[in-house]
Amino acid sequence: MAEILALVEARLRSALGEPDARAAVTFLGTDRIEVLRFTGDGLVRYATLGMSASPMADPTAVVADPLRGPRAELLLTVRAGLAPTDRVLRPLAVLAASPQVEGLVVAPGASLDVGEPLWEGAPFTSVLVAEPGGLVDNLELDEPMEPVRFLPLLPMTANEAAWKRVHGAAALQEKWLARGTDLRDPLRTAVALD
């Protein structure tokens, strides 16, 4: 596991540069989850480190396979200096621990909710998991292990999350695109959903 996390951190550093801060959170009965912060070009990027140490297991499986199954880390990008976004460290760690705690398999198109604002004053309590491969390439591991995917998180307002439950992730992303929504704006309001 430690070898996998070392490879994951190396991949993050090669794609995003040197982290300028890191925090670690441990929840009862789970492995340690770290969140790394990368700043530059007017953006702040947060990346989890620890979620990929073990594969995510189907919650209905009798025994979890220690090698096979999807592996992922989470990425969140916001514009710097507009809001106190460093408070997102704990909610990100909670989301990254959810496969261990809740037996959740995190995949593109999923909604994840932390039940409180992602940071102080944030209009977002949940995120949409987007497709990997844009910012950080998948990290291939030795067979039979699946690659580590770096899943971008897109903050959603309560109205957007409710609309997504009815219409689906692709429809919400189309609305955002059609309206020119800046998904990196930590202060943005909900997109018009009419």
Side-chain angles (χ1 to χ4, degrees), residues 36-181:
L36 309 181
R37 184 182 72 190
F38 302 86
T39 55
D41 299 325
L43 300 172
V44 181
R45 292 189 167 96
Y46 301 95
T48 63
L49 180 62
M51 182 177 169
S52 61
S54 300
M56 292 180 273
D58 180 342
T60 62
V62 177
V63 177
D65 189 318
L67 296 177
R68 292 175 182 82
R71 294 175 189 263
E73 295 291 352
L74 307 176
L75 298 169
L76 175 69
T77 302
V78 294
R79 297 208 178 281
L82 301 178
T85 56
D86 279 351
R87 303 227 174 147
V88 78
L89 298 174
R90 183 166 175 76
L92 277 180
V94 168
L95 295 177
S98 62
Q100 291 180 57
V101 174
E102 300 172 29
L104 184 67
V105 176
V106 178
S111 299
L112 304 173
D113 195 310
V114 294
E116 62 184 40
L118 293 177
W119 52 84
E120 189 177 326
F124 319 106
T125 62
S126 62
V127 293
L128 174 65
V129 181
E131 291 291 333
L135 187 59
V136 182
D137 292 332
N138 292 349
L139 174 64
E140 298 296 328
L141 300 174
D142 294 336
E143 292 289 337
M145 294 184 284
E146 292 185 28
V148 176
R149 300 187 311 161
F150 298 88
L151 301 172
L153 301 179
L154 308 174
M156 292 188 293
T157 65
N159 286 345
E160 291 168 339
W163 197 87
K164 182 257 176 196
R165 281 192 292 279
V166 174
H167 300 282
L172 178 58
Q173 288 177 306
E174 286 174 21
K175 284 281 188 193
W176 283 336
L177 189 60
R179 302 277 200 269
T181 306

